[in-house]
Structures are given as structure tokens and as C-alpha cells.
Amino acid sequence: MAGPAGRLDAVLVCGGRWHDFDHARLRLLELLGEHPRVRTTVYQDYDRLAALDNADLLVTYTCDVRPGPAQQAALARFVERGGRWLALHGTNAVIEPPAGSGSRVFTTPRLIGELARVLGSQFLAHPPIEPYEVLVTRPGHPLVAGIGPFTVTDELYVCELHGKLEVLLHAEYTGPCRGFAEGDTAALDDAPRPVLYLKRHGLGEVCYFTLGHCRGRYDMQDLGVDDTGRVDEGPWETPEFLTVLRRCVERVVGVRSPAQERAGT
């Protein structure tokens, strides 16, 4: 559903808690800016019903941004009518920090309703941030063609999964996720952890990529850490991550990448 002269209207939602959204926003705008017919409007939350109703593509990089019932319906409607949604990192995360001075345990309440079924997952927990190996589930798919297993420093997401997913990248992890209320329960499931997958919904598609963690020095102040003393760019300097992310942007824009041309898809 392109506009006059092939113009595509993109909505970028980038905001939330505990991450360097300035960094992620800039990098995502650079990737979208590689496509001259894409015109992008940027928001920090989902309270933009008219923009969603008129958008051709949606890119989200959030953490604990909670769409209300009207926003959930608008997001589902966007995909159902054929919209393409690139959901990154904590888009599926609702996280309640510990209250008071008791045990520092985070909970992940189910507050996004049916939107979890549209996205295909909801975040439950992650082990401590450290390097881990990402494996290629479907080597022949154009989004990951030519990519071998690679190591990345990021949050390894353990999620509650919904519906049929076409998993393209995954990680293997069965250890505990300390600090999360459901960390031990989730760890009992030894299924591969999806890192990149496609999920059909109605006429449209969600492309979910769980990688992308980044954090600046001042992004944890609401948890009592005034200055972390370091900048954490996570996978944003990892060549394989950047290659796959660029292909994901191309997919939601509707551009056939060289890998797609070779695969004939």
C-alpha cells in the first residue's frame, strides 16, 4: 500500500526503560534512510492510532512500553491488513522492577493481551549479559543466507512463544535466569531460543529480532544507579548482526536484497 510515486510511510517507535534509545534510534533511522522512498515518523510510544492506520511499515525498539487496549487493537489491525512490522529486542517485554528494599526480582506480567499472539512471543527472562553463540536455523533463507554461527554479547531472551513461528536464528540455553520471577521455570524448557523469526498474522507479517541491546551510562537511574561507568553497545558493532538487521529493514520496506534475488523469493 504505497502512496503517490511509491512513497512508503514508516512509523518508528523507540523508547522505554534501561536502554540507550538515542543510539538505537539513530542507527535505525540510518538504515531506513538508505531507502529514499521511505518517509519515517518517530514516536516514543504507541499512542499514535492515526499514524498506525496510515503506515506501510512499522519498526519498534522498546522496553516496557505498554500499549493499552486501543493501541493493541491498532497494532493487530495494522498487521492484519497487510502491514509489515520489524520488532526488535524488548518490544515484547513488560517488566516490573522489584519494589522496596526486598529481593531484587523482576516480574514479567502478561499485560499486552492478544498482542503477544500477533508478535509470536512475550519476554520472560534473560541470563546475565555475556557472549553467547547464535546459530543459523534455516541457512537457505535470504535473511540469513551466507551467515554462519556467530558470537554476540547481548541479552539472551527466554520467551513464552505463541503460534507458528518460522525461526531463522536461535540460541541454546537451559540455565537459570536469576533475578526474574519466572527465570527458573523458563529455564526448564530446553527448546531452542528463537533469536530471529517470522510470524504471519492476517495479510501481514511480523519479523522479530531479539538482538539489539545497548545501554549508556545514565540509563539505569530509575533503579538507583546514577552512572554505570560504561557504555554498552551490545551487538551494534557485530558484523553479522548488522548484516541481518539491514536485510530485515529491506524486508519490511519491500526491497529485494541480493540474497533474495539469488534465492528467487
Side-chain angles (χ1 to χ4, degrees), residues 55-116:
D56 299 297
L57 58 127
L58 170 66
V59 180
T60 57
Y61 181 103
T62 67
C63 179
D64 198 41
V65 174
R66 310 175 183 189
Q71 289 77 42
Q72 292 174 26
L75 288 161
R77 188 167 60 244
F78 164 79
V79 184
E80 286 169 357
R81 66 170 170 81
R84 301 181 296 274
W85 183 357
L86 172 55
L88 297 165
H89 201 45
T91 295
N92 66 353
V94 175
I95 305 173
E96 291 282 2
S101 58
S103 61
R104 294 186 59 81
V105 175
F106 292 79
T107 59
T108 50
R110 311 305 195 270
L111 296 179
I112 60 174
E114 287 300 305
L115 195 58

Side-chain angles (χ1 to χ4, degrees), residues 73-184:
L75 288 161
R77 188 167 60 244
F78 164 79
V79 184
E80 286 169 357
R81 66 170 170 81
R84 301 181 296 274
W85 183 357
L86 172 55
L88 297 165
H89 201 45
T91 295
N92 66 353
V94 175
I95 305 173
E96 291 282 2
S101 58
S103 61
R104 294 186 59 81
V105 175
F106 292 79
T107 59
T108 50
R110 311 305 195 270
L111 296 179
I112 60 174
E114 287 300 305
L115 195 58
R117 301 190 181 278
V118 177
L119 285 170
S121 65
Q122 183 158 357
F123 172 80
L124 295 180
H126 67 73
I129 300 172
E130 60 184 8
Y132 65 91
E133 187 176 34
V134 175
L135 303 172
V136 182
T137 319
R138 289 197 56 196
H141 194 280
L143 285 181
V144 295
I147 301 291
F150 62 96
T151 298
V152 67
T153 300
D154 207 317
E155 295 168 335
L156 195 162
Y157 271 22
V158 174
C159 296
E160 181 179 78
L161 304 180
H162 296 275
K164 183 178 180 180
L165 311 180
E166 183 181 5
V167 179
L168 308 179
L169 297 174
H170 71 277
E172 295 179 351
Y173 182 75
T174 56
C177 300
R178 296 184 178 88
F180 289 91
E182 298 183 62
D184 290 334

